[in-house]
Amino acid sequence: MIHIFDGAMGTMLQAGGLKPGACPELMNLEHPDVVKGIHRAYIDAGSTIIETNTFGASSLKLAHYGLQDRMAEINAAAVKIAREAADGRAKVAGSIGPTGRFVFPLGDLDFEEAYQCFFDQARALAEAGADYLLFETCIDIQEMRAAVLAAKDAAPDIPIICQLSYSEDGRTVTGTDPRSAAIILEALGADIIGVNCSLGPEQLVPIVRTLAQNCSVPVSVQPNAGMPHLDENGETVFPMDAASFGSWAPKLLEAGATWLGGCCGTTPEHIRAMAEALKGCSEPARQPRQPKLWLASRSKSVCVDRSLPTVLIGERINPTGRKKLAAEIRDGSLLSVKKEAVNQVKAGAALLDVNMGVGGIDQAAAMKKAVSEIAQLTDAPLVIDTSDAKALEAGLRAYPGRALINSVSAEDARIAEFLPLARKYGAAILCLPITEDGVPKTAEARLDAVRFIIQSAKKQGLRDGDFLLDALVMTVSADVHACQEVLRTLQLYRSELGYPSTMGLSNISFGLPNRPLINSTFFAMSLACGLDAPIMNPYDESMQRALKASAALLGHDPNGLAFSKDEANLSVPKKAAVAKTSDLDPLSAIKQAVIEGEKDEIVGLVEKALREGFDSNEITEKALTAAMTDIGEDFGSGRMFLPQVLLSAETMRAAFNRLKELIPASAKADKGTVVIATVKGDVHDLGKNITGALLANSGFRLIDLGKDVDAAEIVKAAMENKADIVGLCALMTTTMVQIDKVIEQLKEAGCPAKVMVGGAAVTQDYADHAGADAYASDGVKAVKLAKDMLGIR
């Protein structure tokens, strides 16, 4: 069935009397007839679903207007207005926008605070009678996870629609691609997955197609009316007229979207044209999605399947038998944990097993911290390895992706505690064939144990594509049949169940001489019998060579081309190729630490460089600034995403701060003063906050005036602080005109500062028209432009 949403609300409210800078959601209480008229106009145009005027009606967003205590009242009024307008002709979707802040560690918003904010608004909308809960215009998958979890707890019987916003590169601002989003959100329980805002219908066709190919739930889309530009009067307009907008509807339908509507720049006429264009169209037949095991991080998805090359699970983040690592974890340090995460990925690990099993510590707190920090450092999906249910939930809740649980055995306690968590957080499970009686000796008994786990999991709501089967390796020195039973178990898993398999490898050789030879031989035998995802040390050269040779023999490396290339290059263990900061000269070590976000190491490296005679200017320019230059290039080319950029910025900031403590004179290295603000009437400040952090961490003196700042206040701050640069941000097209006013007043005041502008609604054309000196599309470019404007090399 095809469903038609409505279009933009904000511009319609302004036409109905909403003043610049006023709270749009307050119109539900003060001017309900205006809101009701907008709903009716969209229904008359063909909308079958209308969205409540509650996009910014969460307690966190309403706090800007001092209205947080009226959150429930405003949301209830909005649903009442929408239901009266619908009069049975349309369903009502309770609109919930983002909080306006990033969830930790990307920002200062605690996950539980975000969860509570979404829970309260979702419950208010549900109690008032909303038919759907629509989370829209979200740019952070972790914030969306908090929203879905909250909605399922607050209103478990109401369908949830999740719509992220993507940039022109096909990813959200925080780096999530549509496939990863689809995998994460469907597993978490979203009923409809889609995209809205930021782009026009043409740009959203491939995103819709990718979403439809990677989930089995319906897909929604609400494009803008094209990509905005300036008209002859210098005002931003959305160029796509109603007819053109409507003409894209069948193409979006063909790509896989059956829930369609409009966002910025669309009007009832755009929705009418869309509805007319879809008349007579039938719902497209989507190809059944194969139930493969997909895991995902914030920015990358990995499939484990018999038809695909072997996936390595790095085993090194595990304190068992590693006294130094255990001691660091006990002391609260994750330095070695983070190094192992980065180095294992460089060595070829596609997934990372994370174990915080150290006695005498709060394992839940340790797991939460480890998962949060590793997820910011690498793009490899995580395997949460614990026997503690509290630690498991802490890790799953903190992880901005779809994780694998290691492991669920056939024991009653593990079934009862772990399977509900897997269902709640959308995790896959590693099935370990251990029963109440211990380890089954035969392959047939292991198969029976795994069948019991899978049957129990499916009763909890897990499905095909959620399982990875462990063959359970025992040591051959203690059991002469250990190897044979493992190989038979792998064969039975493949022939009887068809799910991918895994196991730890090194236990097979315990107590024997030349363990690397035993392990690599056993590895090759296991791959031939169906092993898909070994848990292993990715630095082990013999295992890596066995994997490459087996890939050629099993057809995963056609004609052995990759194997031949590696042999010709005399490849060495990838561990050796990973440069340690201790092996580098001081400046190179500092640069690498910044690039890799090694906050725990950077201060010591700066101190070492100073002891060895390097001055603060050399450290700043040849190490810190050079690192940010490389990071900017990687960010611009899509090799690095916002979480890593922010972590690197924090690392560089720590280095700057230590330099200034040790050498106060180095404070003069400040590159200049920047006054930054979001203009009057605009309460969005995520982009401004990111840009401000990067500027401050790059050596600029930052004066952040906040959001919704009057032009006179900006001019006053620029003059009093002798600003070198004034940075102005606007997210909404309706507030961009304030940029013109600020620039005009800066000139009238004789302020010599350069002006840089940015924000989602701002374009280079607008910057030129407004008389700005520079336009920055993101924070990294803002730092480079600031240096260019001030002649800093």
Side-chain angles (χ1 to χ4, degrees):
M1 184 175 178
I2 300 172
H3 306 265
I4 308 294
F5 286 107
D6 53 16
M9 173 65 72
T11 51
M12 300 287 287
L13 287 173
Q14 287 167 354
L18 176 66
K19 297 179 180 179
C23 176
E25 290 74 25
L26 193 57
M27 295 281 281
N28 297 322
L29 301 179
E30 296 184 346
H31 300 283
D33 289 342
V34 172
V35 179
K36 187 181 294 184
I38 295 170
H39 288 321
R40 284 175 173 165
Y42 278 120
I43 294 170
D44 291 343
S47 293
T48 58
I49 300 173
I50 54 173
E51 300 176 34
T52 56
N53 179 33
T54 54
F55 178 81
S58 68
S59 57
L60 286 176
K61 295 296 281 291
L62 289 173
H64 177 73
Y65 304 100
L67 296 171
Q68 62 271 28
D69 293 336
R70 304 183 72 181
M71 183 276 298
E73 178 189 6
I74 289 172
N75 280 276
V79 175
K80 181 175 183 292
I81 293 167
R83 296 205 74 84
E84 289 176 355
D87 193 25
R89 295 187 295 159
K91 296 289 186 180
V92 174
S95 172
I96 305 177
T99 63
R101 293 160 63 188
F102 277 129
V103 175
F104 180 85
L106 299 189
D108 63 354
L109 180 63
D110 184 76
F111 184 89
E112 298 308 325
E113 187 181 358
Y115 167 89
Q116 192 62 50
C117 175
F118 289 125
F119 179 93
D120 292 342
Q121 189 180 3
R123 182 169 61 182
L125 289 166
E127 289 179 348
D131 299 302
Y132 303 94
L133 293 176
L134 169 60
F135 296 99
E136 55 182 336
T137 325
C138 186
I139 60 174
D140 178 15
I141 192 67
Q142 186 67 331
E143 185 178 34
M144 185 64 89
R145 289 184 71 252
V148 175
L149 289 169
K152 291 178 75 66
D153 288 343
D157 298 326
I158 297 182
I160 300 169
I161 306 171
C162 296
Q163 293 184 163
L164 293 169
S165 289
Y166 297 87
S167 303
E168 289 186 81
D169 63 357
R171 292 180 179 268
T172 68
V173 169
T174 55
T176 302
D177 60 284
R179 182 170 69 182
S180 296
I183 291 165
I184 294 166
L185 294 174
E186 181 173 12
L188 198 59
D191 297 285
I192 298 149
I193 297 171
V195 52
N196 78 295
C197 203
S198 71
L199 301 171
E202 181 178 4
Q203 292 78 25
L204 291 186
V205 167
I207 291 175
V208 166
R209 184 175 293 112
T210 300
L211 290 172
Q213 290 170 346
N214 288 280
C215 70
S216 56
V217 299
V219 173
S220 63
V221 60
Q222 292 182 273
N224 290 344
M227 303 296 285
H229 67 267
L230 291 176
D231 63 13
E232 61 274 8
N233 298 318
E235 295 186 6
T236 299
V237 297
F238 288 88
M240 192 168 282
D241 60 27
S244 298
F245 183 82
S247 70
W248 280 96
K251 299 171 187 176
L252 291 166
L253 179 70
E254 183 183 5
T258 52
W259 299 60
L260 304 95
C263 202
C264 298
T266 59
T267 65
E269 288 307 309
H270 287 80
I271 299 305
R272 189 185 310 279
M274 172 176 274
E276 288 293 330
L278 291 173
K279 282 184 178 178
C281 293
S282 57
E283 183 176 348
R286 286 169 61 181
Q287 292 297 321
R289 181 168 170 256
Q290 295 300 314
K292 295 181 180 180
L293 173 59
W294 281 96
L295 303 170
S297 66
R298 184 192 297 275
S299 57
K300 184 179 181 180
S301 47
V302 173
C303 185
V304 184
D305 189 75
R306 62 189 296 179
S307 65
L308 299 172
T310 305
V311 172
L312 300 189
I313 303 176
E315 67 178 6
R316 298 281 296 172
I317 306 176
N318 190 326
T320 304
R322 302 180 65 189
K323 293 182 179 179
K324 180 181 178 183
L325 181 60
E328 285 190 15
I329 293 173
R330 187 175 292 110
D331 292 339
S333 171
L334 293 179
L335 179 59
S336 293
V337 167
K338 292 189 286 187
K339 283 185 175 180
E340 289 287 11
V342 171
N343 288 343
Q344 285 187 102
V345 172
K346 289 181 179 178
L351 307 174
L352 294 175
D353 189 84
V354 182
N355 185 306
M356 293 286 111
V358 177
I361 69 168
D362 184 341
Q363 290 193 29
M367 183 64 80
K368 177 182 177 181
K369 182 179 179 183
V371 166
S372 295
E373 298 209 17
I374 294 169
Q376 197 175 7
L377 275 173
T378 78
D379 62 1
L382 299 187
V383 181
I384 300 179
D385 185 356
T386 181
S387 58
D388 185 305
K390 291 182 179 178
L392 175 62
E393 180 159 24
L396 291 174
R397 199 167 180 86
Y399 187 52
R402 187 187 192 218
L404 172 69
I405 295 173
N406 185 8
S407 55
V408 177
S409 65
E411 298 163 291
D412 292 342
R414 191 64 68 90
I415 292 285
E417 291 180 333
F418 279 29
L419 290 182
L421 293 177
R423 182 70 186 96
K424 178 177 181 178
Y425 292 100
I429 64 171
L430 186 153
C431 302
L432 186 67
I434 294 179
T435 70
E436 298 288 356
D437 298 323
V439 178
K441 296 293 185 182
T442 67
E444 288 78 11
R446 293 176 190 179
L447 178 64
D448 288 342
V450 163
R451 276 195 170 123
F452 173 74
I453 297 169
I454 293 171
Q455 290 169 359
S456 301
K458 288 187 173 181
K459 290 178 182 178
Q460 290 281 347
L462 275 72
R463 303 175 296 176
D464 293 337
D466 291 340
F467 309 116
L468 183 63
L469 315 184
D470 195 315
L472 197 58
V473 177
M474 307 302 291
T475 176
V476 75
S477 62
D479 180 358
V480 67
H481 301 297
C483 177
Q484 297 175 29
E485 290 304 321
V486 167
L487 299 180
R488 289 183 60 239
T489 301
L490 289 170
Q491 292 170 331
L492 282 176
Y493 283 169
R494 178 154 288 188
S495 63
E496 297 294 320
L497 299 175
Y499 300 125
S501 59
T502 185
M503 60 187 186
L505 296 162
S506 58
N507 197 41
I508 193 72
S509 63
F510 183 78
L512 294 176
N514 200 351
R515 293 188 68 185
L517 176 60
I518 295 290
N519 290 343
S520 60
T521 303
F522 175 60
F523 184 27
M525 297 167 70
S526 299
L527 289 169
C529 289
L531 178 62
D532 300 294
I535 303 172
M536 58 177 274
N537 179 358
Y539 311 143
D540 190 316
E541 179 183 8
S542 61
M543 301 289 273
Q544 288 279 15
R545 293 172 75 87
L547 175 61
K548 292 170 186 174
S550 298
L553 293 171
L554 295 173
H556 295 313
D557 174 17
N559 305 113
L561 293 178
F563 175 76
S564 300
K565 182 178 179 180
D566 286 337
E567 289 299 306
N569 292 334
L570 299 176
S571 61
V572 296
K574 292 188 178 181
K575 175 66 173 177
V578 178
K580 298 180 180 178
T581 53
S582 58
D583 298 332
L584 301 172
D585 66 83
L587 296 183
S588 297
I590 292 171
K591 180 180 177 181
Q592 178 169 303
V594 171
I595 291 173
E596 296 188 351
E598 295 179 352
K599 293 187 296 183
D600 298 326
E601 277 198 292
I602 193 67
V603 169
L605 292 172
V606 167
E607 292 172 348
K608 179 183 177 183
L610 290 171
R611 286 195 303 269
E612 295 187 14
F614 293 92
D615 63 38
S616 61
N617 285 335
E618 286 181 290
I619 295 171
T620 299
E621 298 302 328
K622 295 181 180 179
L624 302 178
T625 303
M628 288 308 292
T629 298
D630 288 354
I631 289 166
E633 292 176 356
D634 286 346
F635 181 70
S637 63
R639 295 189 297 271
M640 180 179 282
F641 304 111
L642 185 60
Q644 293 94 337
V645 172
L646 292 177
L647 185 59
S648 292
E650 290 175 20
T651 304
M652 187 171 67
R653 182 67 167 173
F656 272 128
N657 289 342
R658 188 56 177 153
L659 275 175
K660 292 175 182 181
E661 289 174 3
L662 295 172
I663 307 175
S666 68
K668 295 179 181 178
D670 282 338
K671 296 178 173 63
T673 298
V674 180
V675 170
I676 191 170
T678 301
V679 296
K680 184 66 178 176
D682 204 319
V683 296
H684 303 86
D685 62 357
L686 280 177
K688 173 190 67 66
N689 292 344
I690 295 167
T691 300
L694 293 176
L695 286 166
N697 293 343
S698 297
F700 291 90
R701 175 175 173 245
L702 183 75
I703 298 169
D704 188 343
L705 302 179
K707 55 193 176 185
D708 189 21
V709 185
D710 186 76
E713 184 179 346
I714 297 172
V715 173
K716 180 182 177 182
M719 297 296 288
E720 290 180 350
N721 291 280
K722 299 181 180 179
D724 298 290
I725 297 172
V726 173
L728 304 174
C729 177
L731 179 74
M732 301 184 296
T733 56
T734 54
T735 59
M736 281 201 312
V737 292
Q738 294 294 321
I739 290 178
D740 299 70
K741 293 181 180 179
V742 176
I743 293 176
E744 182 180 346
Q745 291 186 30
L746 284 169
K747 291 178 179 178
E748 290 175 354
C751 181
K754 302 285 188 180
V755 178
M756 185 185 336
V757 299
V762 181
T763 63
Q764 182 67 61
D765 287 344
Y766 180 81
D768 294 340
H769 177 87
D773 297 286
Y775 159 70
S777 57
D778 57 64
V780 174
K781 290 181 181 176
V783 174
K784 182 179 184 303
L785 288 169
K787 292 177 183 178
D788 290 344
M789 285 193 289
L790 301 184
I792 299 170
R793 297 185 62 184

